[in-house]
Amino acid sequence: MSSDPFQKPQKDFTETLNEQFVQIDELIKSNYREALDKLLLLEKQTRQASDGASSQRIMVKLVGALVENKDWELLNEQITLLSKKHGQLKDSIQVLIQEVLKNLDKITDLDTKINTIETIRVVTENKIFVEIERAHATKILSDILLKEKNNLDKACEVLSELQVETYASMELEDKISFILDQITLNNMKGDFQFSKILSRKILVRTLEKFANLKFRYYELVNEIALFEDDYENVVKYNMNIYSIPKVQGNLELSLKYLKTVAIFVVLTPFSNLQNDLISRVVIDKNLSKLPIEEELIKIFTTKELISWKSLESSLVSKLLSEEVFDQETEKGKLHLSDLKKRVTEFNLRVISIYYSTIKLDRLCELLELDQLQTENYIIELVNKGDLYAKINRPFKVVTFIKPKTENELLNEWSSDIDRLLESVETVEHLINKEEMIHGK
């Protein structure tokens, strides 16, 4: 196989082909087999003379003749033979494969089409100069397996085997689109772990150039986050979709994503990032168009205790109509359970602000929980570092004030002494001032 695309041809067959093609066109109508023999003879001559342009013309003519006569078996045979010819030009192989791909739609029999695609995949394997053509053929095969054969597993396996991120000749937009196709099939299959690995192949900053791909990317990774119950990422992904100009220009669509953001930001466990996200949602001008979600956000941003019984009767009953809280699904039940958990955690943080110590019985009453549940919530928040609390079981008292360390006490005493000395100095100055005034 010739590796030099700029190799100077030993002979120019342009005029020869112009003459021969007229005769071959007539011969194809009466005896196309004889026409093929002439084309193959010309192919050999142009190949040996390294006349790339003429060789490519012959490839186009050869594929056209075989397609016109629907001789698919011979077409597959010639694809294999021509690609293995000694000294074959890379550009000629590329043109051959491209022409076959263009004519795939003319193959009506599904199994024959699959056989031709597999032939292309075999001859293009491990050949960098036809990597794009191989990717194209693989995508077509995957679509056939999915839509015609209803074989999701095989379609996913075929498409996912390609590492298109390493294809130097493929355009960035095509790479991203291909990887998104891979993620789509793996999501459909339920292999979200592999989808997550694939999603990391896409640099988020590169999506800014392609709005449609950006929308599709965040939709797919949002599916992964929902499967993993990763509420924080669900919020971030939907906020990114919400910020896309195309979505902003469609009020109904933008409210759909804002509603998802508002619900899941409440379900997200407390953290600095969660606090920042909910603060951004509060000031969004479109939130007022979602009264239920607006009320929910308002409750979780006001430093007041939330009564779960009151919330359940007033707001939760309305939220149950949302798909997120559908009680006929496992996810819906989990989301409602997590909402109740977030209410309890929020109440504990509020209580820790207003109380330094509190009786355990009173705390249980405020949280509407029994003692064991209350203790478990306190332990969980303390372990996460969201709260300082110490339970004195013999006295049934909970303390929220963190004891000061030795260094903190020393610093406090030092500060008190400094203030005392400053006060003494001020008094001394005032006394001296009075003595001077009265001394006169």
Side-chain angles (χ1 to χ4, degrees):
M1 187 180 298
S2 175
S3 59
D4 185 6
F6 304 106
Q7 184 177 350
K8 186 176 180 180
Q10 298 171 11
K11 181 180 177 182
D12 188 353
F13 281 83
T14 304
E15 293 300 325
T16 304
L17 292 187
N18 290 340
E19 294 174 6
Q20 291 291 323
F21 276 6
V22 175
Q23 300 173 17
I24 290 171
D25 286 339
E26 292 297 324
L27 195 58
I28 287 173
K29 298 175 184 177
S30 57
N31 188 349
Y32 94 94
R33 286 278 185 171
E34 187 178 339
L36 288 178
D37 290 338
K38 285 194 172 187
L39 283 170
L40 290 171
L41 179 61
L42 287 170
E43 185 278 328
K44 181 178 179 181
Q45 293 172 350
T46 55
R47 171 165 43 85
Q48 291 176 341
S50 300
D51 186 358
S54 298
S55 177
Q56 290 170 36
R57 288 178 64 191
I58 292 169
M59 294 295 185
V60 173
K61 181 67 71 175
L62 184 68
V63 173
L66 290 166
V67 170
E68 187 178 338
N69 287 274
K70 302 186 186 309
D71 196 342
W72 310 120
E73 186 177 346
L74 185 56
L75 175 64
N76 292 340
E77 183 182 324
Q78 289 303 322
I79 292 171
T80 304
L81 291 174
L82 289 171
S83 64
K84 293 181 178 179
K85 292 287 186 181
H86 178 70
Q88 187 61 274
L89 301 171
K90 290 181 178 180
D91 287 346
S92 298
I93 297 176
Q94 190 176 36
V95 169
L96 170 66
I97 301 301
Q98 288 172 352
E99 282 301 310
V100 176
L101 288 172
K102 287 178 188 176
N103 289 282
L104 278 177
D105 290 339
K106 296 178 182 177
I107 304 177
T108 53
D109 183 67
L110 197 59
D111 291 331
T112 303
K113 183 185 286 190
I114 291 174
N115 191 29
T116 303
I117 294 171
E118 288 291 4
T119 303
I120 293 172
R121 279 165 43 82
V122 169
V123 300
T124 56
E125 189 174 6
N126 298 325
K127 292 184 176 69
I128 296 175
F129 60 93
V130 283
E131 59 189 8
I132 295 178
E133 287 74 19
R134 177 175 172 77
H136 187 197
T138 302
K139 180 65 173 69
I140 295 171
L141 177 60
S142 177
D143 288 343
I144 291 172
L145 291 170
L146 179 66
K147 298 173 184 176
E148 304 292 338
K149 296 288 188 178
N150 296 317
N151 192 340
L152 173 60
D153 290 345
K154 187 63 178 176
C156 186
E157 180 187 342
V158 165
L159 197 65
S160 297
E161 70 183 15
L162 295 185
Q163 309 292 326
V164 293
E165 68 276 6
T166 64
Y167 292 3
S169 55
M170 184 178 277
E171 293 291 333
L172 177 60
E173 185 175 4
D174 294 334
K175 284 183 185 180
I176 295 173
S177 180
F178 200 96
I179 294 171
L180 291 178
D181 289 335
Q182 292 176 326
I183 297 172
T184 300
L185 288 185
N186 279 281
N187 280 6
M188 290 171 64
K189 184 182 174 182
D191 192 352
F192 291 98
Q193 192 61 40
F194 190 64
S195 291
K196 196 171 184 179
I197 294 170
L198 290 170
S199 69
R200 291 173 184 154
K201 295 180 179 182
I202 299 174
L203 295 176
V204 175
R205 65 174 180 271
T206 61
L207 295 170
E208 297 304 322
K209 302 175 186 176
F210 317 110
N212 289 333
L213 294 180
K214 181 180 179 181
F215 178 83
R216 191 178 165 202
Y217 169 80
Y218 282 116
E219 281 277 284
L220 291 170
V221 293
N222 183 56
E223 290 177 14
I224 300 170
L226 284 170
F227 174 79
E228 296 180 340
D229 300 317
D230 186 353
Y231 300 148
E232 188 176 285
N233 276 328
V234 170
V235 175
K236 289 195 289 185
Y237 296 149
N238 279 276
M239 286 187 85
N240 277 296
I241 295 173
Y242 179 67
S243 65
I244 296 174
K246 181 181 76 172
V247 176
Q248 286 287 316
N250 185 328
L251 182 60
E252 183 180 351
L253 192 60
S254 63
L255 289 179
K256 170 191 169 184
Y257 289 105
L258 182 59
K259 177 184 285 190
T260 303
V261 168
I263 290 173
F264 279 96
V265 78
V266 168
L267 292 177
T268 303
F270 178 79
S271 66
N272 290 334
L273 179 57
Q274 187 270 350
N275 191 46
D276 176 63
L277 291 171
I278 200 169
S279 299
R280 288 161 62 184
V281 175
V282 168
I283 60 175
D284 194 289
K285 61 183 180 181
N286 285 329
L287 188 62
S288 59
K289 296 169 183 165
L290 300 169
I292 298 175
E293 286 72 22
E294 183 184 27
E295 180 65 22
L296 185 64
I297 292 291
K298 184 180 178 183
I299 289 171
F300 275 87
T301 51
T302 305
K303 299 298 181 184
E304 295 178 4
L305 289 177
I306 305 169
S307 170
W308 173 252
K309 292 178 182 177
S310 301
L311 186 68
E312 196 172 22
S313 60
S314 62
L315 202 58
V316 174
S317 57
K318 298 174 184 176
L319 288 172
L320 291 178
S321 61
E322 302 289 343
E323 184 181 353
V324 175
F325 294 102
D326 184 3
Q327 293 303 287
E328 294 184 3
T329 65
E330 290 300 319
K331 288 290 183 182
K333 293 175 182 177
L334 175 65
H335 295 156
L336 184 61
S337 173
D338 284 339
L339 178 61
K340 186 175 182 180
K341 189 176 181 181
R342 297 291 96 82
V343 168
T344 303
E345 292 172 349
F346 178 83
N347 285 340
L348 267 173
R349 290 196 300 274
V350 171
I351 291 169
S352 70
I353 294 171
Y354 295 109
Y355 287 83
S356 57
T357 58
I358 186 173
K359 287 285 188 181
L360 192 55
D361 293 342
R362 175 59 176 159
L363 182 59
C364 293
E365 182 184 340
L366 292 174
L367 295 178
E368 300 175 355
L369 300 172
D370 59 39
Q371 183 175 327
L372 180 60
Q373 290 174 318
T374 301
E375 289 182 1
N376 286 337
Y377 273 109
I378 293 172
I379 291 168
E380 185 177 344
L381 288 182
V382 169
N383 287 337
K384 289 197 297 184
D386 293 343
L387 185 74
Y388 175 85
K390 189 172 182 180
I391 304 172
N392 188 328
R393 283 197 177 90
F395 292 97
K396 291 191 175 182
V397 172
V398 180
T399 303
F400 294 108
I401 300 298
K402 187 176 182 180
K404 294 177 181 178
T405 64
E406 292 84 349
N407 287 334
E408 287 174 336
L409 286 171
L410 286 171
N411 289 334
E412 187 177 330
W413 291 340
S414 177
S415 177
D416 289 344
I417 291 170
D418 287 340
R419 286 201 303 270
L420 176 61
L421 291 175
E422 286 175 7
S423 299
V424 169
E425 189 175 352
T426 302
V427 170
E428 184 182 1
H429 284 304
L430 291 173
I431 292 171
N432 289 336
K433 182 181 177 181
E434 288 296 318
E435 287 179 345
M436 289 175 69
I437 293 171
H438 293 290
K440 290 179 181 179

